[in-house]
Amino acid sequence: MLSQPHDGRSLRIDTRQEQGAVILTVAGPLDLDTVAPLDTTLQRLAQDGAGPVVIDLSDVSFADSTTVNVLIQAHEALGPALRLAAPSAVLERLFTLTGLDTVLPLYGSVRAALGA
């Protein structure tokens, strides 16, 4: 579990194993000041050759272009092993506006991502 406070806000990343996958549950804002722990975790998983990596995005309260960049890099590094689950309304809007909803592997729930 990682937690990084910033100006009264914090990002929390909980990690667990389930059905042969690594599940990252992300809660809080993802922006230039808070996204580094997620980036580091995803880079490490890619280097380790992790199997499926499911990111539960249901509790993300804010996201910016830095988040988009981290997710695109993770998609390039992990390929089909990366699965983004249950994006919050904020992320759904961001993905739709940027067209990433047609590029990134998005699933409606963690269960659906695990079953993919």
Side-chain angles (χ1 to χ4, degrees):
M1 174 183 356
L2 299 173
S3 181
Q4 174 155 346
H6 176 73
D7 294 337
R9 303 177 310 151
S10 66
L11 175 69
R12 182 176 172 142
I13 303 171
D14 294 321
T15 305
R16 72 182 192 276
Q17 295 273 336
E18 188 175 326
Q19 297 181 12
V22 175
I23 301 174
L24 305 174
T25 301
V26 181
L30 281 171
D31 59 27
L32 179 63
D33 296 320
T34 63
V35 77
L38 178 61
D39 187 29
T40 301
T41 301
L42 291 170
Q43 286 179 28
R44 180 180 44 82
L45 289 169
Q47 288 173 346
D48 292 348
V53 175
V54 176
I55 307 175
D56 179 350
L57 299 168
S58 60
D59 288 327
V60 172
S61 59
F62 177 82
D64 66 5
S65 61
T66 310
T67 305
V68 169
N69 188 42
V70 165
L71 293 176
I72 289 171
Q73 288 179 358
H75 179 61
E76 290 173 0
L78 289 161
L82 179 68
R83 301 169 189 175
L84 306 179
S88 66
V90 168
L91 282 173
E92 281 186 13
R93 186 167 196 275
L94 179 63
F95 293 155
T96 300
L97 288 172
T98 60
L100 288 175
D101 58 336
T102 63
V103 176
L104 295 175
L106 301 174
Y107 298 87
S109 68
V110 170
R111 287 277 161 241
L114 286 171

